[in-house]
Amino acid sequence: IALSGEENTQTTQQAHLFGQLLSALKTNNFEDYKEFKEGFFTNLHLYNHNEKNDILTILYHASYENHKLGIENSLNELFQLNCFAAENDFLLEEGYISNYRFWNIIFIGFAAQEIEWTEKFIRELGEYLQETEREDTILICTAMLAFHKNNFEESLQILATVKFQNLTYGLYAKTLQLQCYFELGEEYNDLFSNLTSSFNLYINRKEGFADTTKKAFSNFISFAKQLQKIRYDPNKSFTAFTKKLSITKNISNKTWLLEKTKEMQDGKKQNLS
């Protein structure tokens, strides 16, 4: 780090950037992310394929850490890095894209509300998933696409066509079902209530889930149930619920819960006015 910071003719642009990145990783401080990114893309021609991959991984990590801190535009930065990786053939290894990386890109695309790009990515890159994961992955991604296009009944119909062998996909599917029931309103209240019970049983009976995963999805179910109650109680205040939701860190689909809370708050204010 010390050598890379010296201003002399022996210090290359590559060494300077790697020194900066290493220092940021040691301190877990990525406030200079824009400087790192600019230094990389300005001198892109200086790096070989492996170096580009390494730097992209660090930039991705930096953007994600900034996103967790609530730093503005960090989510879009994650999306732009994914676009760059897809456009420049950094995603395939030995002819396949890893399932983990595929899902990360999908979730960020949806979170950034880049639905058309995400749909194209699923269509074009889905065929490069390992055969054992491909069919179920494409199926649940298709259900997610329908959900994000507000076609909730279509999403439920897709999910009803298969039982996922992968335990994690079961989590995704049940989460999506619960969201669809919530979005479809009062007619689906009984299905919503029944699913919260069976979902909790699913999480706690399966041994393949880490404790942090169980907690994240248990928290999601709990907050979804609370939000459903508030929804039909005109005298209930959102203040305590919103505060508790905001400070809870280990929770799945937190962004969606916050969005629904804000929508309901805004609707309540309009009704009062």
Side-chain angles (χ1 to χ4, degrees), residues 152-210:
F152 307 121
E153 290 185 343
E154 179 186 339
S155 181
L156 289 171
Q157 289 170 1
I158 295 169
L159 292 172
T161 62
V162 69
K163 292 183 179 179
F164 297 104
Q165 299 300 314
N166 185 307
L167 292 178
T168 302
Y169 289 3
L171 290 178
Y172 296 164
K174 291 180 186 300
T175 299
L176 196 56
Q177 281 180 295
L178 201 62
Q179 290 173 291
C180 286
Y181 292 153
F182 185 94
E183 296 282 5
L184 287 166
E186 192 169 356
E187 185 180 345
Y188 287 78
N189 282 355
D190 288 343
L191 289 171
F192 178 93
S193 179
N194 292 337
L195 182 56
T196 58
S197 299
S198 63
F199 197 173
N200 267 318
L201 288 173
Y202 178 82
I203 294 169
N204 292 311
R205 283 181 178 174
K206 300 296 182 181
E207 296 179 357
F209 299 134

